[in-house]
PDB file of all heavy atoms in Angstrom:
ATOM      1  N   GLN N 944       0.653  -6.308  -7.852  1.00 85.00           N
ATOM      2  CA  GLN N 944       1.765  -5.714  -8.556  1.00 85.00           C
ATOM      3  C   GLN N 944       1.946  -4.253  -8.188  1.00 85.00           C
ATOM      4  O   GLN N 944       3.068  -3.786  -8.088  1.00 85.00           O
ATOM      5  CB  GLN N 944       1.573  -5.840 -10.060  1.00 85.00           C
ATOM      6  CG  GLN N 944       1.743  -7.239 -10.584  1.00 85.00           C
ATOM      7  CD  GLN N 944       1.462  -7.302 -12.075  1.00 85.00           C
ATOM      8  OE1 GLN N 944       0.645  -6.575 -12.595  1.00 85.00           O
ATOM      9  NE2 GLN N 944       2.164  -8.186 -12.742  1.00 85.00           N
ATOM     10  N   ALA N 945       0.850  -3.535  -8.011  1.00 89.00           N
ATOM     11  CA  ALA N 945       0.949  -2.120  -7.675  1.00 89.00           C
ATOM     12  C   ALA N 945       1.621  -1.931  -6.315  1.00 89.00           C
ATOM     13  O   ALA N 945       2.442  -1.032  -6.138  1.00 89.00           O
ATOM     14  CB  ALA N 945      -0.431  -1.471  -7.694  1.00 89.00           C
ATOM     15  N   TYR N 946       1.283  -2.799  -5.366  1.00 90.00           N
ATOM     16  CA  TYR N 946       1.894  -2.734  -4.030  1.00 90.00           C
ATOM     17  C   TYR N 946       3.395  -2.976  -4.133  1.00 90.00           C
ATOM     18  O   TYR N 946       4.190  -2.228  -3.562  1.00 90.00           O
ATOM     19  CB  TYR N 946       1.243  -3.767  -3.104  1.00 90.00           C
ATOM     20  CG  TYR N 946       1.962  -3.925  -1.792  1.00 90.00           C
ATOM     21  CD1 TYR N 946       1.744  -3.024  -0.761  1.00 90.00           C
ATOM     22  CD2 TYR N 946       2.865  -4.969  -1.575  1.00 90.00           C
ATOM     23  CE1 TYR N 946       2.404  -3.149   0.453  1.00 90.00           C
ATOM     24  CE2 TYR N 946       3.521  -5.103  -0.373  1.00 90.00           C
ATOM     25  CZ  TYR N 946       3.286  -4.192   0.641  1.00 90.00           C
ATOM     26  OH  TYR N 946       3.944  -4.317   1.829  1.00 90.00           O
ATOM     27  N   GLU N 947       3.782  -4.008  -4.858  1.00 91.00           N
ATOM     28  CA  GLU N 947       5.198  -4.329  -4.997  1.00 91.00           C
ATOM     29  C   GLU N 947       5.952  -3.217  -5.705  1.00 91.00           C
ATOM     30  O   GLU N 947       7.096  -2.915  -5.362  1.00 91.00           O
ATOM     31  CB  GLU N 947       5.370  -5.653  -5.736  1.00 91.00           C
ATOM     32  CG  GLU N 947       4.882  -6.834  -4.923  1.00 91.00           C
ATOM     33  CD  GLU N 947       4.917  -8.131  -5.698  1.00 91.00           C
ATOM     34  OE1 GLU N 947       5.382  -8.153  -6.855  1.00 91.00           O
ATOM     35  OE2 GLU N 947       4.466  -9.137  -5.140  1.00 91.00           O
ATOM     36  N   LYS N 948       5.306  -2.598  -6.670  1.00 92.00           N
ATOM     37  CA  LYS N 948       5.953  -1.511  -7.403  1.00 92.00           C
ATOM     38  C   LYS N 948       6.214  -0.319  -6.494  1.00 92.00           C
ATOM     39  O   LYS N 948       7.302   0.242  -6.487  1.00 92.00           O
ATOM     40  CB  LYS N 948       5.093  -1.091  -8.594  1.00 92.00           C
ATOM     41  CG  LYS N 948       5.722  -0.042  -9.464  1.00 92.00           C
ATOM     42  CD  LYS N 948       4.873   0.251 -10.683  1.00 92.00           C
ATOM     43  CE  LYS N 948       5.533   1.308 -11.550  1.00 92.00           C
ATOM     44  NZ  LYS N 948       4.735   1.615 -12.735  1.00 92.00           N
ATOM     45  N   VAL N 949       5.204   0.060  -5.715  1.00 93.00           N
ATOM     46  CA  VAL N 949       5.361   1.244  -4.871  1.00 93.00           C
ATOM     47  C   VAL N 949       6.294   0.975  -3.694  1.00 93.00           C
ATOM     48  O   VAL N 949       7.099   1.837  -3.333  1.00 93.00           O
ATOM     49  CB  VAL N 949       3.993   1.798  -4.414  1.00 93.00           C
ATOM     50  CG1 VAL N 949       3.335   0.929  -3.371  1.00 93.00           C
ATOM     51  CG2 VAL N 949       4.128   3.215  -3.882  1.00 93.00           C
ATOM     52  N   THR N 950       6.243  -0.194  -3.088  1.00 92.00           N
ATOM     53  CA  THR N 950       7.155  -0.472  -1.980  1.00 92.00           C
ATOM     54  C   THR N 950       8.566  -0.760  -2.489  1.00 92.00           C
ATOM     55  O   THR N 950       9.534  -0.507  -1.773  1.00 92.00           O
ATOM     56  CB  THR N 950       6.656  -1.642  -1.107  1.00 92.00           C
ATOM     57  OG1 THR N 950       6.444  -2.792  -1.920  1.00 92.00           O
ATOM     58  CG2 THR N 950       5.373  -1.268  -0.380  1.00 92.00           C
ATOM     59  N   MET N 952      10.099   0.849  -4.720  1.00 91.00           N
ATOM     60  CA  MET N 952      10.802   2.088  -5.078  1.00 91.00           C
ATOM     61  C   MET N 952      11.434   2.769  -3.853  1.00 91.00           C
ATOM     62  O   MET N 952      12.097   3.778  -3.977  1.00 91.00           O
ATOM     63  CB  MET N 952       9.858   3.067  -5.791  1.00 91.00           C
ATOM     64  CG  MET N 952       8.804   3.687  -4.927  1.00 91.00           C
ATOM     65  SD  MET N 952       7.731   4.769  -5.908  1.00 91.00           S
ATOM     66  CE  MET N 952       7.078   5.808  -4.604  1.00 91.00           C
ATOM     67  N   HIS N 964       2.972   3.349   7.897  1.00 97.00           N
ATOM     68  CA  HIS N 964       2.070   3.458   6.749  1.00 97.00           C
ATOM     69  C   HIS N 964       2.073   2.187   5.898  1.00 97.00           C
ATOM     70  O   HIS N 964       1.044   1.805   5.349  1.00 97.00           O
ATOM     71  CB  HIS N 964       2.434   4.682   5.909  1.00 97.00           C
ATOM     72  CG  HIS N 964       2.292   5.961   6.668  1.00 97.00           C
ATOM     73  ND1 HIS N 964       1.083   6.567   6.892  1.00 97.00           N
ATOM     74  CD2 HIS N 964       3.220   6.732   7.295  1.00 97.00           C
ATOM     75  CE1 HIS N 964       1.263   7.663   7.602  1.00 97.00           C
ATOM     76  NE2 HIS N 964       2.554   7.772   7.868  1.00 97.00           N
ATOM     77  N   LYS N 967      -0.162  -0.209   7.703  1.00 96.00           N
ATOM     78  CA  LYS N 967      -1.570   0.133   7.469  1.00 96.00           C
ATOM     79  C   LYS N 967      -2.009  -0.346   6.085  1.00 96.00           C
ATOM     80  O   LYS N 967      -3.110  -0.877   5.930  1.00 96.00           O
ATOM     81  CB  LYS N 967      -1.773   1.651   7.578  1.00 96.00           C
ATOM     82  CG  LYS N 967      -1.867   2.155   8.995  1.00 96.00           C
ATOM     83  CD  LYS N 967      -2.023   3.657   9.138  1.00 96.00           C
ATOM     84  CE  LYS N 967      -2.920   4.312   8.133  1.00 96.00           C
ATOM     85  NZ  LYS N 967      -3.082   5.764   8.350  1.00 96.00           N
ATOM     86  N   LEU N 968      -1.158  -0.163   5.094  1.00 95.00           N
ATOM     87  CA  LEU N 968      -1.476  -0.598   3.739  1.00 95.00           C
ATOM     88  C   LEU N 968      -1.594  -2.121   3.678  1.00 95.00           C
ATOM     89  O   LEU N 968      -2.516  -2.654   3.055  1.00 95.00           O
ATOM     90  CB  LEU N 968      -0.407  -0.089   2.765  1.00 95.00           C
ATOM     91  CG  LEU N 968      -0.609  -0.413   1.291  1.00 95.00           C
ATOM     92  CD1 LEU N 968      -1.958   0.090   0.785  1.00 95.00           C
ATOM     93  CD2 LEU N 968       0.524   0.175   0.471  1.00 95.00           C
ATOM     94  N   GLN N 969      -0.695  -2.830   4.338  1.00 94.00           N
ATOM     95  CA  GLN N 969      -0.770  -4.285   4.379  1.00 94.00           C
ATOM     96  C   GLN N 969      -2.061  -4.750   5.042  1.00 94.00           C
ATOM     97  O   GLN N 969      -2.670  -5.729   4.617  1.00 94.00           O
ATOM     98  CB  GLN N 969       0.446  -4.865   5.105  1.00 94.00           C
ATOM     99  CG  GLN N 969       1.717  -4.734   4.315  1.00 94.00           C
ATOM    100  CD  GLN N 969       2.965  -5.119   5.099  1.00 94.00           C
ATOM    101  OE1 GLN N 969       2.966  -5.124   6.327  1.00 94.00           O
ATOM    102  NE2 GLN N 969       4.034  -5.418   4.381  1.00 94.00           N
ATOM    103  N   VAL N 971      -4.901  -3.230   4.922  1.00 93.00           N
ATOM    104  CA  VAL N 971      -5.960  -3.044   3.920  1.00 93.00           C
ATOM    105  C   VAL N 971      -5.972  -4.214   2.943  1.00 93.00           C
ATOM    106  O   VAL N 971      -7.034  -4.715   2.555  1.00 93.00           O
ATOM    107  CB  VAL N 971      -5.762  -1.705   3.159  1.00 93.00           C
ATOM    108  CG1 VAL N 971      -6.651  -1.618   1.932  1.00 93.00           C
ATOM    109  CG2 VAL N 971      -6.026  -0.525   4.088  1.00 93.00           C
ATOM    110  N   LEU N 972      -4.796  -4.663   2.546  1.00 91.00           N
ATOM    111  CA  LEU N 972      -4.675  -5.718   1.532  1.00 91.00           C
ATOM    112  C   LEU N 972      -4.914  -7.125   2.086  1.00 91.00           C
ATOM    113  O   LEU N 972      -5.290  -8.024   1.335  1.00 91.00           O
ATOM    114  CB  LEU N 972      -3.289  -5.664   0.883  1.00 91.00           C
ATOM    115  CG  LEU N 972      -2.919  -4.363   0.180  1.00 91.00           C
ATOM    116  CD1 LEU N 972      -1.484  -4.418  -0.303  1.00 91.00           C
ATOM    117  CD2 LEU N 972      -3.864  -4.067  -0.968  1.00 91.00           C
ATOM    118  N   PHE N 989     -13.600  -3.981  -2.943  1.00 89.00           N
ATOM    119  CA  PHE N 989     -12.322  -4.269  -2.288  1.00 89.00           C
ATOM    120  C   PHE N 989     -11.157  -3.825  -3.163  1.00 89.00           C
ATOM    121  O   PHE N 989     -10.226  -3.161  -2.696  1.00 89.00           O
ATOM    122  CB  PHE N 989     -12.223  -5.767  -1.977  1.00 89.00           C
ATOM    123  CG  PHE N 989     -10.886  -6.187  -1.459  1.00 89.00           C
ATOM    124  CD1 PHE N 989     -10.484  -5.851  -0.166  1.00 89.00           C
ATOM    125  CD2 PHE N 989     -10.010  -6.904  -2.255  1.00 89.00           C
ATOM    126  CE1 PHE N 989      -9.243  -6.240   0.315  1.00 89.00           C
ATOM    127  CE2 PHE N 989      -8.771  -7.298  -1.783  1.00 89.00           C
ATOM    128  CZ  PHE N 989      -8.384  -6.959  -0.493  1.00 89.00           C
ATOM    129  N   VAL N 990     -11.211  -4.155  -4.441  1.00 90.00           N
ATOM    130  CA  VAL N 990     -10.135  -3.777  -5.360  1.00 90.00           C
ATOM    131  C   VAL N 990     -10.034  -2.259  -5.467  1.00 90.00           C
ATOM    132  O   VAL N 990      -8.939  -1.694  -5.439  1.00 90.00           O
ATOM    133  CB  VAL N 990     -10.342  -4.431  -6.748  1.00 90.00           C
ATOM    134  CG1 VAL N 990      -9.356  -3.874  -7.771  1.00 90.00           C
ATOM    135  CG2 VAL N 990     -10.208  -5.943  -6.646  1.00 90.00           C
ATOM    136  N   THR N 991     -11.160  -1.588  -5.553  1.00 94.00           N
ATOM    137  CA  THR N 991     -11.173  -0.127  -5.630  1.00 94.00           C
ATOM    138  C   THR N 991     -10.547   0.476  -4.384  1.00 94.00           C
ATOM    139  O   THR N 991      -9.718   1.392  -4.468  1.00 94.00           O
ATOM    140  CB  THR N 991     -12.616   0.389  -5.806  1.00 94.00           C
ATOM    141  OG1 THR N 991     -13.140  -0.125  -7.029  1.00 94.00           O
ATOM    142  CG2 THR N 991     -12.671   1.905  -5.828  1.00 94.00           C
ATOM    143  N   PHE N 992     -10.922  -0.042  -3.210  1.00 95.00           N
ATOM    144  CA  PHE N 992     -10.372   0.467  -1.957  1.00 95.00           C
ATOM    145  C   PHE N 992      -8.865   0.212  -1.869  1.00 95.00           C
ATOM    146  O   PHE N 992      -8.097   1.076  -1.428  1.00 95.00           O
ATOM    147  CB  PHE N 992     -11.101  -0.155  -0.759  1.00 95.00           C
ATOM    148  CG  PHE N 992     -10.675   0.400   0.559  1.00 95.00           C
ATOM    149  CD1 PHE N 992     -10.915   1.724   0.890  1.00 95.00           C
ATOM    150  CD2 PHE N 992     -10.021  -0.399   1.475  1.00 95.00           C
ATOM    151  CE1 PHE N 992     -10.515   2.244   2.117  1.00 95.00           C
ATOM    152  CE2 PHE N 992      -9.623   0.107   2.702  1.00 95.00           C
ATOM    153  CZ  PHE N 992      -9.865   1.432   3.021  1.00 95.00           C
ATOM    154  N   CYS N 993      -8.427  -0.960  -2.305  1.00 94.00           N
ATOM    155  CA  CYS N 993      -6.993  -1.281  -2.297  1.00 94.00           C
ATOM    156  C   CYS N 993      -6.210  -0.337  -3.201  1.00 94.00           C
ATOM    157  O   CYS N 993      -5.162   0.185  -2.807  1.00 94.00           O
ATOM    158  CB  CYS N 993      -6.765  -2.727  -2.731  1.00 94.00           C
ATOM    159  SG  CYS N 993      -7.249  -3.943  -1.505  1.00 94.00           S
ATOM    160  N   MET N 994      -6.722  -0.111  -4.403  1.00 96.00           N
ATOM    161  CA  MET N 994      -6.018   0.771  -5.342  1.00 96.00           C
ATOM    162  C   MET N 994      -5.974   2.204  -4.803  1.00 96.00           C
ATOM    163  O   MET N 994      -4.950   2.885  -4.943  1.00 96.00           O
ATOM    164  CB  MET N 994      -6.672   0.720  -6.723  1.00 96.00           C
ATOM    165  CG  MET N 994      -6.488  -0.627  -7.420  1.00 96.00           C
ATOM    166  SD  MET N 994      -4.768  -1.223  -7.490  1.00 96.00           S
ATOM    167  CE  MET N 994      -3.992   0.066  -8.445  1.00 96.00           C
ATOM    168  N   LYS N 995      -7.049   2.648  -4.180  1.00 97.00           N
ATOM    169  CA  LYS N 995      -7.071   3.984  -3.575  1.00 97.00           C
ATOM    170  C   LYS N 995      -6.014   4.066  -2.478  1.00 97.00           C
ATOM    171  O   LYS N 995      -5.262   5.043  -2.409  1.00 97.00           O
ATOM    172  CB  LYS N 995      -8.455   4.279  -3.007  1.00 97.00           C
ATOM    173  CG  LYS N 995      -8.577   5.626  -2.340  1.00 97.00           C
ATOM    174  CD  LYS N 995      -9.987   5.839  -1.807  1.00 97.00           C
ATOM    175  CE  LYS N 995     -10.099   7.199  -1.166  1.00 97.00           C
ATOM    176  NZ  LYS N 995     -10.147   7.153   0.271  1.00 97.00           N
ATOM    177  N   SER N 996      -5.945   3.058  -1.635  1.00 97.00           N
ATOM    178  CA  SER N 996      -4.967   3.037  -0.545  1.00 97.00           C
ATOM    179  C   SER N 996      -3.539   3.004  -1.077  1.00 97.00           C
ATOM    180  O   SER N 996      -2.657   3.695  -0.558  1.00 97.00           O
ATOM    181  CB  SER N 996      -5.222   1.837   0.366  1.00 97.00           C
ATOM    182  OG  SER N 996      -6.496   1.926   0.953  1.00 97.00           O
ATOM    183  N   ILE N 997      -3.299   2.210  -2.098  1.00 96.00           N
ATOM    184  CA  ILE N 997      -1.962   2.133  -2.700  1.00 96.00           C
ATOM    185  C   ILE N 997      -1.582   3.482  -3.309  1.00 96.00           C
ATOM    186  O   ILE N 997      -0.453   3.954  -3.136  1.00 96.00           O
ATOM    187  CB  ILE N 997      -1.900   1.005  -3.753  1.00 96.00           C
ATOM    188  CG1 ILE N 997      -1.976  -0.357  -3.055  1.00 96.00           C
ATOM    189  CG2 ILE N 997      -0.631   1.120  -4.603  1.00 96.00           C
ATOM    190  CD1 ILE N 997      -2.194  -1.519  -3.995  1.00 96.00           C
ATOM    191  N   ASN N 998      -2.505   4.117  -3.999  1.00 96.00           N
ATOM    192  CA  ASN N 998      -2.212   5.418  -4.611  1.00 96.00           C
ATOM    193  C   ASN N 998      -1.947   6.493  -3.562  1.00 96.00           C
ATOM    194  O   ASN N 998      -1.076   7.346  -3.750  1.00 96.00           O
ATOM    195  CB  ASN N 998      -3.344   5.831  -5.551  1.00 96.00           C
ATOM    196  CG  ASN N 998      -3.356   5.011  -6.820  1.00 96.00           C
ATOM    197  OD1 ASN N 998      -2.323   4.515  -7.260  1.00 96.00           O
ATOM    198  ND2 ASN N 998      -4.520   4.842  -7.393  1.00 96.00           N
ATOM    199  N   GLU N 999      -2.673   6.453  -2.454  1.00 97.00           N
ATOM    200  CA  GLU N 999      -2.421   7.397  -1.370  1.00 97.00           C
ATOM    201  C   GLU N 999      -1.041   7.158  -0.763  1.00 97.00           C
ATOM    202  O   GLU N 999      -0.309   8.113  -0.467  1.00 97.00           O
ATOM    203  CB  GLU N 999      -3.503   7.283  -0.295  1.00 97.00           C
ATOM    204  CG  GLU N 999      -4.846   7.836  -0.737  1.00 97.00           C
ATOM    205  CD  GLU N 999      -5.961   7.560   0.246  1.00 97.00           C
ATOM    206  OE1 GLU N 999      -5.732   6.867   1.278  1.00 97.00           O
ATOM    207  OE2 GLU N 999      -7.084   8.017  -0.014  1.00 97.00           O
ATOM    208  N   PHE N1000      -0.673   5.892  -0.584  1.00 97.00           N
ATOM    209  CA  PHE N1000       0.653   5.584  -0.055  1.00 97.00           C
ATOM    210  C   PHE N1000       1.730   6.031  -1.041  1.00 97.00           C
ATOM    211  O   PHE N1000       2.753   6.590  -0.641  1.00 97.00           O
ATOM    212  CB  PHE N1000       0.795   4.092   0.238  1.00 97.00           C
ATOM    213  CG  PHE N1000       2.165   3.746   0.728  1.00 97.00           C
ATOM    214  CD1 PHE N1000       2.527   3.988   2.041  1.00 97.00           C
ATOM    215  CD2 PHE N1000       3.119   3.213  -0.132  1.00 97.00           C
ATOM    216  CE1 PHE N1000       3.805   3.701   2.496  1.00 97.00           C
ATOM    217  CE2 PHE N1000       4.393   2.927   0.306  1.00 97.00           C
ATOM    218  CZ  PHE N1000       4.732   3.167   1.627  1.00 97.00           C
ATOM    219  N   LYS N1001       1.498   5.804  -2.316  1.00 96.00           N
ATOM    220  CA  LYS N1001       2.474   6.214  -3.339  1.00 96.00           C
ATOM    221  C   LYS N1001       2.686   7.726  -3.298  1.00 96.00           C
ATOM    222  O   LYS N1001       3.815   8.195  -3.401  1.00 96.00           O
ATOM    223  CB  LYS N1001       2.009   5.782  -4.725  1.00 96.00           C
ATOM    224  CG  LYS N1001       3.000   6.128  -5.815  1.00 96.00           C
ATOM    225  CD  LYS N1001       2.535   5.647  -7.169  1.00 96.00           C
ATOM    226  CE  LYS N1001       3.552   6.022  -8.227  1.00 96.00           C
ATOM    227  NZ  LYS N1001       3.134   5.577  -9.552  1.00 96.00           N
ATOM    228  N   ALA N1002       1.610   8.486  -3.138  1.00 96.00           N
ATOM    229  CA  ALA N1002       1.733   9.943  -3.058  1.00 96.00           C
ATOM    230  C   ALA N1002       2.563  10.341  -1.838  1.00 96.00           C
ATOM    231  O   ALA N1002       3.415  11.241  -1.921  1.00 96.00           O
ATOM    232  CB  ALA N1002       0.349  10.582  -3.008  1.00 96.00           C
ATOM    233  N   LEU N1003       2.333   9.682  -0.709  1.00 95.00           N
ATOM    234  CA  LEU N1003       3.096   9.954   0.503  1.00 95.00           C
ATOM    235  C   LEU N1003       4.568   9.602   0.298  1.00 95.00           C
ATOM    236  O   LEU N1003       5.465  10.386   0.641  1.00 95.00           O
ATOM    237  CB  LEU N1003       2.519   9.168   1.681  1.00 95.00           C
ATOM    238  CG  LEU N1003       3.260   9.304   3.002  1.00 95.00           C
ATOM    239  CD1 LEU N1003       3.229  10.766   3.499  1.00 95.00           C
ATOM    240  CD2 LEU N1003       2.663   8.371   4.026  1.00 95.00           C
ATOM    241  N   ALA N1004       4.828   8.438  -0.281  1.00 95.00           N
ATOM    242  CA  ALA N1004       6.204   7.993  -0.509  1.00 95.00           C
ATOM    243  C   ALA N1004       6.921   8.946  -1.467  1.00 95.00           C
ATOM    244  O   ALA N1004       8.090   9.297  -1.254  1.00 95.00           O
ATOM    245  CB  ALA N1004       6.220   6.565  -1.066  1.00 95.00           C
ATOM    246  N   THR N1005       6.238   9.394  -2.483  1.00 94.00           N
ATOM    247  CA  THR N1005       6.829  10.341  -3.450  1.00 94.00           C
ATOM    248  C   THR N1005       7.143  11.661  -2.764  1.00 94.00           C
ATOM    249  O   THR N1005       8.195  12.251  -3.006  1.00 94.00           O
ATOM    250  CB  THR N1005       5.867  10.552  -4.637  1.00 94.00           C
ATOM    251  OG1 THR N1005       5.665   9.289  -5.283  1.00 94.00           O
ATOM    252  CG2 THR N1005       6.444  11.541  -5.632  1.00 94.00           C
TER     253      THR N1005
END
Side-chain angles (χ1 to χ4, degrees):
Q944 288 177 328
Y946 170 81
E947 292 174 4
K948 184 176 180 180
V949 73
T950 55
M952 71 182 202
H964 298 282
K967 280 178 39 178
L968 182 56
Q969 289 172 339
V971 168
L972 300 175
F989 173 73
V990 171
T991 298
F992 185 65
C993 287
M994 292 309 298
K995 179 180 181 254
S996 298
I997 290 169
N998 288 332
E999 288 172 356
F1000 178 79
K1001 182 178 180 180
L1003 177 63
T1005 299

